[in-house]
Amino acid sequence: MNNKLNISKWQWLQLGLVVVVLGILGFTRQLLLVNINNQLSFLYYHKEISYVVDSVSFIKEYDYATLMWAKWFLTIAYTLLYLISTLWVMRVLSFRKDYLKLTTLLFGGVVVLSALLYGGLSLFGESYIGYRLARFGMGLVQSPIPLMVLVPAMMLFERK
């Protein structure tokens, strides 16, 4: 990447599109996962009222196991979509390929660390703590936070 931030109109358009995509990803992730969690709680605790909003009421048609599998699928899907969005921005800003590889490794590292924390702590009877830590890690890679940290960090590194 050049020391000066010379961005063409096409690059600005792509960056604007990524912002829109990130907004949609954030909204849909929150909408789906919060409501799936609400329905899972409804089913697990045999509650009288389900707090799933009308816009995703189709969730109520599925059983507990199906919704749990859906959460796993959505977790993987949103992680990959956020990774792709992050790499897209880095590509638009003309970062070197080794930065793209490093970003992919960082995302993968967080996913592996999350799995190890959950699995490892579960072996010691601390699955709740492991789940909370894993959920934090996975929430991190399913957000624009890595993008907001990595782009400025890599721009500063390029100036050296």
Side-chain angles (χ1 to χ4, degrees), residues 6-41:
N6 296 324
I7 298 178
S8 70
K9 288 180 183 179
W10 172 241
Q11 288 170 307
W12 278 115
L13 182 64
Q14 289 183 74
L15 292 174
L17 184 58
V18 171
V19 169
V20 171
V21 167
L22 290 173
I24 292 168
L25 285 176
F27 175 77
T28 59
R29 178 185 179 276
Q30 188 73 7
L31 179 68
L32 289 171
L33 292 178
V34 165
N35 282 285
I36 287 173
N37 284 338
N38 285 341
Q39 186 64 10
L40 287 170
S41 177

Side-chain angles (χ1 to χ4, degrees), residues 129-142:
I129 294 171
Y131 176 75
R132 299 287 295 174
L133 291 171
R135 190 169 174 172
F136 174 78
M138 292 307 296
L140 182 68
V141 293
Q142 294 174 51

